[in-house]
Amino acid sequence: MLNLRQNNLIRYFQMSNRKVTIVPPEKFSDLTISEPKTKAVGMPAITSSIKHIADEMGMAKGFKLLNKMNQQDGFDCPGCAWPDPEKPSALGEYCENGAKAIAEEATDKRITASFFSKNSVEHLSEQTDYYIGKLGRLTEPMYLPKGSSHYQPISWDDAFTKIGDKLNTLNSPNEAAFYTSGRTSNEAAYMYQLMARQFGTNNLPDCSNMCHESSGAGLSATVGIGKGSVTLNDLHEAELIIVMGQNPGTNHPRMLSALEKCKKNGGTIVTVNPLNEAGTNTFVDPQSPLAMLTGGTKLEDLFLQVKINGDVALLKAAMILMLEAEEKNPNSVFDHNFIKEHCENYDELIAHLKSSDYNEAVKDSGISDKKVRTFAQLLITKRKTIICWAMGITQHKNGVENVQEIVNVLLLKGSIGKPGAGTCPVRGHSNVQGDRTMGIWEKPKEPFLKKLDERFQFTAPREHGYDVVETIKAMDEKKLKMFIGLGGNFISATPDSQFTGEAMQKCDLTVQISTKLNRGHLVTGQEAIILPCISRSETDIQKSGKQFVTVENSMGVVHKSTGSLAPASANLKSEHAIIAGIAKATLKNSSTNWDDMIDNYDVVRSHIEGTITGFDNYNTKVRVAGGFSLPNGSRTRAFTTPDKKAHFTVNNLPKEKIAADNFIMMTIRTHDQYNTTIYGMDDRYRGITNERRVILMNPSDMKKKGFKQEQVVNLTSHFNGEERKANNFKVVSYNIPEGCIASYFPETNVLVPLNSVAKKSNTPASKFVEVSIQTK
């Protein structure tokens, strides 16, 4: 067999008489380039929102739905996990990308059995992810037989039976994997992990494995909890907010309102990123006529354009300067009372800083000495500091160390566990944090498993399961024979696309619980089943009446979400009913009453209360407007590490070496996408219209390579002697550090090596990929 990881010019892979396209087609659209924007939101965001709503569902239905989104009597946005204010705006509590997300979810377009009879999986797989995503809502269960090219209808009972029979014929429960996407509710996630563990496996990979796993590992090791410590009010009160490796204007637009409040309260904002994004530059509040007239609020006071993965170097250089200032004027910079009472390993960090080379750190950061000193002076003088971060920090081999270095800075200042200060990992997907709280984790802790044992009268498996990367490897090695996905688009979200797709095709049966069609329904096992579910915005009626679900936002607040739309089809089931249907068809000896959990979701919440810390009086507290906050030791300085102390760590400068003529590539999103969902073909803030197959490149690098604007090139990634290829990209001149390029995912996920992962967290290093560039 050909090694397609080394030569994936071959785009097809034969399996069971089906020949599907794994990697999105290398087709061009009509690219238009303009100057990048310096302001975010405002009238263009309003216009874009209206267009997407009108195209997908019409204005009357759309605005009625938007007025329910992120409201206390409505449903939680299916997009990001940014928290809602205590008093949601009467004008609406949503952003442009939230409007796009709900337009996609509540679209009037439908996919029926007739559609599948006319369109083979081969044909559909040849289309772009954008085209596939725009086809509409799934409406009935579908089955793809072995050797067939067309899905065909299947009844719910037959689907459950087929899934249960297959699970029960596996040689071991560990031959199945149960993947979870972040949009799943707390109740469904809890039922899902319970089903998997009663079946006998901890193979519960989830989307967090690919994004904030490094945050969880780094924070757990240093402050005892893998969640951020701040609240929304803390952001308003902060004296200094540092936004690192994050593009809130596109990925978390409602965060801009919090940054604006910080600015109006006298705070200072620093952004650290290889790209100068419009969202952190100037925010034009679309709900303020004055802001629309005057041009909005300037947010960032200092922009630090680090090289890709220059963050540890920048923070280390700043801490060296902070130490110098502290030694010149003792007790003026560091919070020694906090350090003495609450921290360990302070002396080790200070010794490390004293032995570190400031000039080397400055050089590795890519920032000028002058700007590093300006940054350090802010850290020296400000007492209440928050550091926010996202994938630009976590998706590196040293992603965990990046997070730990952030914690070092905050601990030195005593800026954890007090108002206006703390850690703020900004989660990307709504309820991804809640899923982990519910037990969606391949490495569960013993106290949780013991509570499951006691409440449900079984013995949960103790052996750790597979995370995402390990799942892909296990499928390739045929150790996994069955894959069930609760939401998500596994094929497009994961690294090493060609290899991942081929591995998936080695499964006997793949099952997807979904609202819309994606590439994961086309690149399948020998058999495949699609189980369509209702969405978060739709009404969920069970035997006891109308149900609500709960979610946990990025700051640990649990609140209710109640859909109001009629379901897209009468033949849809809730995620809870689908999970229970699979469980009943599989777990013949289970004493768990799955029907009770479907009939009334209060029953599920009672089980959660009985097995997970922090959910006392769950059904009562979650019915209070705004919900409730989960316990968080780092928020109160009651650190939950084994010794009850926060820990300083020593993190060396990353020293990744690449070939002289090669570049460091990071994958990014456009403004017209959310994760793998492609809303449109534009990247408005970056001035790129009607094209996704581009690479952003420094003008000096273009000149050295002899490249012209829009020149078509091919990309080859290099890792441990392996090569992966992606062809047909247009070069776009852009303000990015020399030696660095940026490109959109999922188009360039094919270049991300499966084995290039973060130490300790095993997160794919999608923000640091060594590539060479070839002309056509």
Side-chain angles (χ1 to χ4, degrees):
M1 182 180 293
L2 288 169
N3 185 345
L4 296 184
R5 284 201 288 172
Q6 292 183 339
N7 182 15
N8 57 37
L9 285 172
I10 300 175
R11 289 297 188 223
Y12 301 103
F13 186 79
Q14 188 85 34
M15 180 66 71
S16 303
N17 299 321
R18 288 194 295 270
K19 191 187 293 185
V20 297
T21 304
I22 295 172
V23 179
E26 299 167 346
K27 301 173 183 177
F28 283 130
S29 299
D30 187 13
L31 171 64
T32 301
I33 303 172
S34 59
E35 284 296 313
K37 305 297 185 290
T38 57
K39 298 180 180 181
V41 196
M43 185 55 70
I46 296 174
T47 303
S48 174
S49 299
I50 291 172
K51 180 181 184 303
H52 282 272
I53 290 293
D55 288 349
E56 296 292 342
M57 68 179 83
M59 299 304 297
K61 175 184 174 183
F63 279 118
K64 183 178 179 181
L65 198 58
L66 288 173
N67 286 331
K68 284 288 187 180
M69 189 157 69
N70 297 324
Q71 299 295 322
Q72 292 177 352
D73 63 341
F75 62 93
D76 198 58
C77 176
C80 81
W82 190 253
D84 302 328
E86 292 180 4
K87 294 182 180 179
S89 169
L91 295 176
E93 197 58 56
Y94 55 87
C95 65
E96 177 188 355
N97 268 8
K100 292 175 182 175
I102 200 60
E104 290 279 312
E105 179 177 285
T107 179
D108 289 335
K109 300 170 186 173
R110 300 289 183 264
I111 297 176
T112 63
S114 173
F115 171 86
F116 284 111
S117 69
K118 298 172 183 175
N119 292 276
S120 68
V121 291
E122 291 97 334
H123 167 71
L124 291 170
S125 73
E126 292 170 355
Q127 312 309 311
T128 65
D129 284 27
Y130 172 55
Y131 174 91
I132 295 168
K134 286 292 184 181
L135 291 171
R137 287 288 298 276
L138 296 161
T139 57
E140 58 186 302
M142 302 299 297
Y143 170 57
L144 184 65
K146 183 177 181 178
S148 175
S149 292
H150 291 265
Y151 276 100
Q152 60 191 44
I154 186 173
S155 71
W156 280 105
D157 286 345
D158 287 349
F160 291 147
T161 298
K162 189 174 287 291
I163 294 166
D165 288 349
K166 182 59 186 177
L167 285 169
N168 285 323
T169 57
L170 298 176
N171 294 321
S172 162
N174 290 324
E175 290 184 338
F178 299 82
Y179 175 75
T180 312
S181 163
R183 70 167 174 78
T184 303
S185 69
N186 285 340
E187 294 79 6
Y190 185 85
M191 292 176 66
Y192 195 57
Q193 64 81 28
L194 178 63
M195 175 182 70
R197 292 191 167 108
Q198 287 196 8
F199 180 62
T201 186
N202 283 315
N203 288 345
L204 285 156
D206 74 325
C207 57
S208 185
N209 295 151
M210 296 182 281
C211 57
H212 269 289
E213 199 70 52
S214 295
S215 296
L219 290 171
S220 295
T222 54
V223 298
I225 184 171
K227 302 178 182 182
S229 67
V230 301
T231 66
L232 195 55
N233 285 334
D234 288 327
L235 284 160
H236 303 161
E237 297 177 26
E239 295 176 359
L240 174 64
I241 296 178
I242 304 167
V243 181
M244 303 187 70
Q246 184 193 358
N247 178 15
T250 287
N251 301 329
H252 316 93
R254 289 198 298 151
M255 180 180 173
L256 301 183
S257 296
L259 296 179
E260 182 182 47
K261 285 188 178 180
C262 174
K263 284 290 292 186
K264 289 183 176 180
N265 289 336
T268 299
I269 297 175
V270 176
T271 56
V272 181
N273 202 44
L275 299 176
N276 192 1
E277 305 286 15
T280 46
N281 192 326
T282 301
F283 169 54
V284 183
D285 185 351
Q287 295 190 3
S288 168
L290 181 61
M292 303 274 273
L293 289 171
T294 60
T297 302
K298 174 71 174 174
L299 296 180
E300 67 186 13
D301 297 280
L302 178 65
F303 170 59
L304 300 175
Q305 190 171 33
V306 290
K307 296 177 182 176
I308 293 176
N309 205 24
D311 306 279
V312 164
L314 171 65
L315 295 175
K316 196 172 301 297
M319 284 192 290
I320 292 170
L321 295 177
M322 291 164 66
L323 178 59
E324 289 178 1
E326 172 67 20
E327 290 181 333
K328 288 179 182 177
N329 191 2
N331 299 312
S332 66
V333 180
F334 296 168
D335 187 340
H336 286 285
N337 290 333
F338 169 79
I339 293 169
K340 182 178 180 180
E341 183 178 354
H342 294 290
C343 300
E344 289 289 340
N345 301 330
Y346 171 76
D347 292 338
E348 289 84 346
L349 175 64
I350 297 304
H352 169 70
L353 293 176
K354 288 182 175 180
S355 66
S356 297
D357 186 329
Y358 170 78
N359 290 325
E360 180 185 18
V362 170
K363 179 182 177 183
D364 287 0
S365 74
I367 307 297
S368 70
D369 170 71
K370 181 179 179 181
K371 283 197 169 186
V372 172
R373 291 182 182 277
T374 300
F375 176 54
Q377 191 60 32
L378 289 171
L379 288 167
I380 288 167
T381 57
K382 303 297 184 181
R383 295 293 176 185
K384 297 193 293 184
T385 298
I386 291 174
I387 303 182
C388 307
W389 70 91
M391 306 301 94
I393 291 295
T394 62
Q395 291 181 330
H396 291 281
K397 290 182 182 179
N398 51 287
V400 175
E401 288 90 338
N402 287 345
V403 173
Q404 291 178 165
E405 200 77 336
I406 287 171
V407 173
N408 281 341
V409 172
L410 295 171
L411 292 179
L412 287 174
K413 296 293 296 181
S415 276
I416 293 183
K418 69 179 183 182
T423 57
C424 186
V426 184
R427 309 286 176 174
H429 208 158
S430 176
N431 210 44
V432 64
Q433 186 163 292
D435 290 350
R436 181 59 57 89
T437 302
M438 292 298 104
I440 299 292
W441 195 25
E442 73 280 358
K443 300 173 184 177
K445 293 184 178 180
E446 180 61 23
F448 173 62
L449 295 179
K450 287 183 70 174
K451 288 185 177 180
L452 288 181
D453 291 350
E454 294 166 3
R455 189 169 187 90
F456 295 99
Q457 299 300 299
F458 79 110
T459 302
R462 264 54 178 181
E463 179 185 1
H464 286 174
Y466 296 135
D467 62 20
V468 164
V469 169
E470 292 163 344
T471 292
I472 295 167
K473 292 178 180 179
M475 290 191 296
D476 176 61
E477 296 167 4
K478 297 187 177 181
K479 293 178 180 178
L480 276 177
K481 296 181 179 177
M482 191 164 173
F483 177 95
I484 301 179
L486 181 57
N489 182 357
F490 191 84
I491 294 296
S492 292
T494 46
D496 218 338
S497 309
Q498 187 73 19
F499 181 78
T500 297
E502 293 169 17
M504 183 69 77
Q505 290 174 314
K506 294 179 181 180
C507 291
D508 293 344
L509 174 63
T510 52
V511 179
Q512 302 287 348
I513 302 169
S514 309
T515 57
K516 299 190 69 181
L517 195 68
N518 63 52
R519 194 163 296 275
H521 304 100
L522 310 175
V523 182
T524 69
Q526 295 184 49
E527 295 178 277
I529 294 175
I530 298 173
L531 302 177
C533 62
I534 64 172
S535 71
R536 191 178 289 176
S537 60
E538 292 172 335
T539 304
D540 184 355
I541 304 294
Q542 303 297 339
K543 280 188 178 180
S544 65
K546 185 176 181 179
Q547 306 297 308
F548 68 86
V549 297
T550 62
V551 295
E552 178 185 345
N553 68 32
S554 195
M555 294 178 182
V557 177
V558 178
H559 60 94
K560 61 188 290 191
S561 174
T562 309
S564 56
L565 276 183
S569 164
N571 205 12
L572 303 182
K573 289 183 180 291
S574 70
E575 290 177 325
H576 315 70
I578 294 171
I579 293 163
I582 296 172
K584 290 192 294 180
T586 306
L587 307 173
K588 301 298 186 181
N589 297 318
S590 173
S591 61
T592 300
N593 192 326
W594 297 95
D595 288 327
D596 279 357
M597 286 191 270
I598 303 172
D599 294 347
N600 189 336
Y601 298 168
D602 278 356
V603 175
V604 187
R605 287 185 282 272
S606 294
H607 288 315
I608 293 169
E609 178 181 339
T611 51
I612 300 178
T613 302
F615 287 86
D616 300 339
N617 301 313
Y618 192 3
N619 277 308
T620 299
K621 290 193 300 185
V622 82
R623 285 176 162 85
V624 176
F628 63 95
S629 294
L630 291 173
N632 187 323
S634 65
R635 187 170 290 163
T636 60
R637 297 186 171 179
F639 299 108
T640 51
T641 54
D643 61 3
K644 309 303 180 185
K645 301 281 189 177
H647 286 244
F648 289 102
T649 54
V650 171
N651 307 290
N652 295 318
L653 294 176
K655 290 295 181 182
E656 295 276 353
K657 294 183 179 180
I658 68 169
D661 291 334
N662 289 353
F663 292 83
I664 304 168
M665 183 193 79
M666 64 177 183
T667 61
I668 58 175
R669 300 174 185 170
T670 74
H671 191 64
D672 257 357
Q673 76 178 97
Y674 195 79
N675 294 335
T676 57
T677 303
I678 313 300
Y679 302 135
M681 295 295 290
D682 300 342
D683 195 359
R684 186 175 77 245
Y685 292 156
R686 298 190 184 111
I688 296 168
T689 303
N690 203 36
E691 184 55 80
R692 294 184 52 82
R693 300 192 71 83
V694 300
I695 61 170
L696 309 186
M697 193 173 194
N698 185 282
S700 296
D701 286 331
M702 289 177 62
K703 185 175 181 180
K704 291 174 188 175
K705 298 290 287 186
F707 294 159
K708 296 179 180 179
Q709 185 84 315
E710 298 189 44
Q711 183 164 344
V712 179
V713 297
N714 297 333
L715 303 176
T716 303
S717 68
H718 305 269
F719 179 78
N720 289 350
E722 300 171 349
E723 292 186 348
R724 295 161 176 82
K725 295 182 181 295
N727 297 333
N728 285 3
F729 289 83
K730 291 184 178 181
V731 178
V732 174
S733 177
Y734 208 83
N735 180 15
I736 186 171
E738 290 186 45
C740 302
I741 64 171
S743 60
Y744 302 137
F745 78 87
E747 285 81 359
T748 49
N749 281 357
V750 67
L751 298 173
V752 181
L754 185 65
N755 289 315
S756 180
V757 295
K759 293 172 288 184
K760 299 181 182 179
S761 70
N762 215 33
T763 297
S766 300
K767 293 293 187 287
F768 195 105
V769 181
E770 180 180 355
V771 299
S772 58
I773 304 174
Q774 300 82 38
T775 56
K776 294 286 288 183

